[in-house]
Amino acid sequence: AARIGDRIELMPGMYKPVALRHVAGTLSRPLTICPFGYDAAIARLQKRHHRRSADVDATEPAPDVTERCLTAEERATFARCVVASPVACTEQQHGGGMPVISLDSCAHVRLRGLDIRRGAVGVAAAGCTDVRLEHCAVTCELPARSDGEPVVPEEVNDITAGASKLQQLIQAGGLPAGVTIVGYVMFVGLYIFFALFTLFLTAGLSDSDANKYLIETAATTVLVALLVQPVTAGAVATFSFANSV
């Protein structure tokens, strides 16, 4: 069993889809899974980068190897570990198919230098904290699906996706903060509009009729919140479970 701070090095080869559940490291000692020779290769690249930075007086030095994607030549300096689905997915499956790597209730995990391909979803994370891919090549219809923070940052991973950019952002849990702010503003605006519209509808009614209308509206809202939405969510969950089985 993996323990805090462990480094699991994989030998070259093809690996089946992987599921990690309740695996955790710490912020200073994350659990790391990477190909054999990855650490030594990154150390050599960093030394080369520092040497070039010292020799060349550049106003804007090139980013460190830990802050960018690796080139094909750089990836060839360590073992190639491919994690892939047995059968390539179709375009209609993305978002609903089996992920190549599933992470459930994991914390402080790093997946580095892996080649993830041939899946409807590359990496799916649920209930995870501080889980990231670094220097990985992800070739899937949908690179990531997450219910929280993004797990496949574009600046340090080579991503080839079939889904649109908007679909990737929504599924990856990585919508920009501006989109969230606009959503809250629209929600507040809709609430104010509903309040004013209610006042407009009840302006011509007597006090008793207006009170009756407001009570019926409130009762309908509560009924929808307590009954209709949970039933709908349960039906969706049941449908998803049936499809996964």
Side-chain angles (χ1 to χ4, degrees):
R3 295 173 295 180
I4 292 175
D6 277 355
R7 300 187 66 83
I8 301 175
E9 293 193 354
L10 304 177
M11 297 304 293
M14 180 81 71
Y15 293 84
K16 295 180 180 179
V18 178
L20 300 177
R21 293 181 174 86
H22 304 285
V23 175
T26 64
L27 186 60
S28 59
R29 298 177 60 199
L31 172 68
T32 302
I33 301 175
C34 61
F36 180 78
Y38 170 84
D39 291 337
I42 295 300
R44 287 194 299 270
L45 292 173
Q46 286 181 319
K47 286 183 180 179
R48 187 185 308 169
H49 169 76
H50 295 323
R51 191 181 305 116
R52 290 178 178 176
S53 299
D55 293 341
V56 179
D57 185 15
T59 56
E60 293 185 2
D64 189 79
V65 66
T66 59
E67 301 173 352
R68 62 172 176 82
C69 298
L70 299 180
T71 65
E73 291 78 12
E74 291 170 341
R75 294 184 62 84
T77 58
F78 53 85
R80 187 187 182 204
C81 298
V82 179
V83 186
S85 297
V87 180
C89 70
T90 62
E91 184 177 357
Q92 290 76 15
Q93 289 178 313
H94 71 259
M98 179 181 178
V100 179
I101 297 179
S102 301
L103 300 163
D104 183 12
S105 303
C106 298
H108 307 298
V109 177
R110 300 290 183 270
L111 303 177
R112 293 172 172 158
L114 302 178
D115 190 342
I116 302 168
R117 59 179 57 242
R118 233 167 46 185
V121 180
V123 180
C128 295
T129 302
D130 188 30
V131 172
R132 293 202 306 273
L133 270 68
E134 299 172 357
H135 294 156
C136 292
V138 184
T139 307
C140 297
E141 285 294 320
L142 192 65
R145 185 174 66 222
S146 173
D147 60 358
E149 58 190 14
V151 296
V152 188
E154 292 186 357
E155 58 271 15
V156 292
N157 293 284
D158 185 7
I159 299 174
T160 304
S164 67
K165 192 69 174 180
L166 179 60
Q167 287 175 309
Q168 295 179 47
L169 287 173
I170 292 174
Q171 294 290 337
L175 284 176
V179 176
T180 304
I181 294 174
V182 170
Y184 279 118
V185 171
M186 292 179 64
F187 174 78
V188 173
L190 182 63
Y191 179 82
I192 295 174
F193 170 79
F194 179 75
L196 294 176
F197 185 67
T198 301
L199 291 175
F200 171 77
L201 291 178
T202 59
L205 301 177
S206 63
D207 290 343
S208 60
D209 290 339
N211 290 335
K212 180 181 178 181
Y213 173 80
L214 291 175
I215 291 173
E216 291 177 351
T217 302
T220 302
T221 303
V222 172
L223 183 65
V224 170
L226 296 180
L227 295 179
V228 177
Q229 288 187 351
V231 170
T232 302
V236 172
T238 302
F239 180 75
S240 299
F241 176 77
N243 281 347
S244 65
V245 174

